[in-house]
Amino acid sequence: MSEDQDMGALIGRLQRAKNVIALTGSGISAESGIPTFRGKEGLWKTYRAQDLATPQAFARDPELVWEWYDWRRGLMSPKLPNAGHQVLAAWEEAIPQFALITQNIDGLHRRAGSRNVLELHGNIWRLRCTQEGTVVENHESPLSPLPPLCADCGALLRPHVVWFGESLDPDIIGQAFSLSARCDLMFVVGTSAVVHPAASLPLAALEAGAAVVEINPEPTPLTQHAAFSFRGKAGDILPRIDRALREISRVRERD
Ligand code: BV8
């Protein structure tokens, strides 16, 4: 199909869809200036994720792990949501049953105005007490002291994120799978689709008969299953789809 026919077919699906989901990964924040994980300038090139984003690394050397997170917070702090985040925030209003599920910890979906965001892997702006389990919001950059300590009990705080080998919050991942199992259309935006259990969500949607729309400059293991595959950047493609959707709705209203 030509790209226009593709777009027309997608808009048709989007208009008929009852439940729409967007699942995002670090690629949607790339145009905001935040490096992805596995790309050439990847966040993890500087450090090896399996060396740092794990509970074992934190137990062994909390200072080093905190240096890495503090560096990432400093990198993320001035960054703003891009057009891709903004379209998904607008769809929360425009599309009746729309759900946003993200693997990202940068908080940019909320900054773009999305209110209902399922953050599968936590949020880098939240710190959790290693003793009490209490969670605090903290945007201080750089953090001082480093590593940060709990104001209540003085214990070490950790980033409120999900490390490799740690289970996701059962409520959050449970909601994500139940939404995926009853959606008609799932946009999968800016993810290499290799990290589980997040990478199983599109498969759950496909099993439920949903169509998957992949938006990514590169192919991924999901591409072969996608009904629509847009090779491009989220900040270009999502606004294009949004414009086509609004155009068709305007024509519909006029008729
Ligand atoms: C768990 C938070 C139970 C921390 C992260 C089943 C099979 C295989 C392995 C496993 C499995 N089940 C569990 C595992 C182990 C592991 C795993 O999946 N390993 C993989 C790597 C093989 N999973 C876990 O450990 C999970 N826990 O399952 O608990 C358990 C317990 C013990 C033992 C077994 C099971 C926890 C996973 C969460 C880890 N935490 N982050 C932190 O960030 O510091 S994961 C990390 O990867 C980020 O959250 C990130 O979001 C996520 C996925 O990466 P992507 O977002 O996809 O980023 P990536 O760079 O890879 O890709 C970017 C994409 O964007 C590219 O495709 C690129 O082309 C595209 N792009 C670039 N520019 C643009 C763009 N797209 C659009 N527009 C652009 N402009």
Side-chain angles (χ1 to χ4, degrees):
M1 267 198 267
S2 74
E3 194 148 299
D4 287 351
Q5 284 168 322
D6 233 2
M7 184 64 85
L10 171 59
I11 299 304
R13 293 290 295 251
L14 195 43
Q15 288 188 307
R16 291 193 303 276
K18 295 270 174 304
N19 295 297
V20 178
I21 291 179
L23 169 66
T24 64
S26 60
I28 197 169
S29 297
E31 290 150 274
S32 295
I34 299 176
T36 60
F37 289 92
R38 296 166 183 84
K40 50 190 179 309
E41 83 300 335
L43 253 183
W44 288 342
K45 278 278 175 295
T46 328
Y47 297 86
R48 284 161 38 83
Q50 49 273 41
D51 299 344
L52 291 175
T54 69
Q56 294 77 8
F58 188 71
R60 191 176 52 244
D61 191 345
E63 287 77 12
L64 175 63
V65 173
W66 261 119
E67 265 173 50
W68 183 46
Y69 278 94
D70 197 40
W71 171 72
R72 289 173 68 189
R73 286 164 53 107
L75 192 77
M76 290 174 183
S77 177
K79 302 297 192 290
L80 297 172
N82 62 60
H85 297 104
Q86 280 148 9
V87 165
L88 296 184
W91 283 3
E92 192 173 81
E93 302 304 321
I95 298 175
Q97 294 297 323
F98 176 77
L100 177 57
I101 304 171
T102 188
Q103 301 171 84
N104 299 342
I105 64 172
D106 57 30
L108 285 185
H109 283 302
R110 286 188 207 284
R111 285 185 71 183
S114 294
R115 290 190 314 285
N116 304 314
V117 188
L118 279 179
E119 291 178 319
L120 297 177
H121 296 156
N123 185 307
I124 202 166
W125 304 111
R126 291 189 176 146
L127 315 183
R128 185 166 82 232
C129 177
T130 53
Q131 288 309 311
E132 298 167 333
T134 41
V135 175
V136 289
E137 187 92 15
N138 174 311
H139 290 259
E140 189 189 4
S141 179
L143 274 165
S144 169
L146 193 69
L149 303 175
C150 176
D152 290 348
C153 72
L156 203 50
L157 293 175
R158 58 161 284 176
H160 185 53
V161 301
V162 181
W163 281 326
F164 286 101
E166 289 188 319
S167 298
L168 280 66
D169 177 314
D171 293 341
I172 294 176
I173 192 64
Q175 274 183 70
F177 271 107
S178 101
L179 285 164
S180 302
R182 60 171 198 272
C183 82
D184 314 290
L185 202 56
M186 178 183 273
F187 288 83
V188 181
V189 187
T191 182
S192 56
V194 296
V195 172
H196 288 270
S200 307
L201 293 172
L203 306 181
L206 287 164
E207 263 165 48
V212 164
V213 185
E214 185 175 53
I215 298 174
N216 195 321
E218 310 284 335
T220 73
L222 192 65
T223 304
Q224 59 186 317
H225 306 293
F228 303 91
S229 203
F230 291 87
R231 279 281 155 277
K233 296 182 174 181
D236 298 335
I237 305 286
L238 281 170
R240 267 200 14 237
I241 296 171
D242 186 53
R243 278 195 299 275
L245 179 65
R246 292 177 192 281
E247 181 50 33
I248 293 248
S249 313
R250 249 195 307 280
V251 167
R252 277 273 167 94
E253 274 157 25
R254 258 207 315 265
D255 291 357

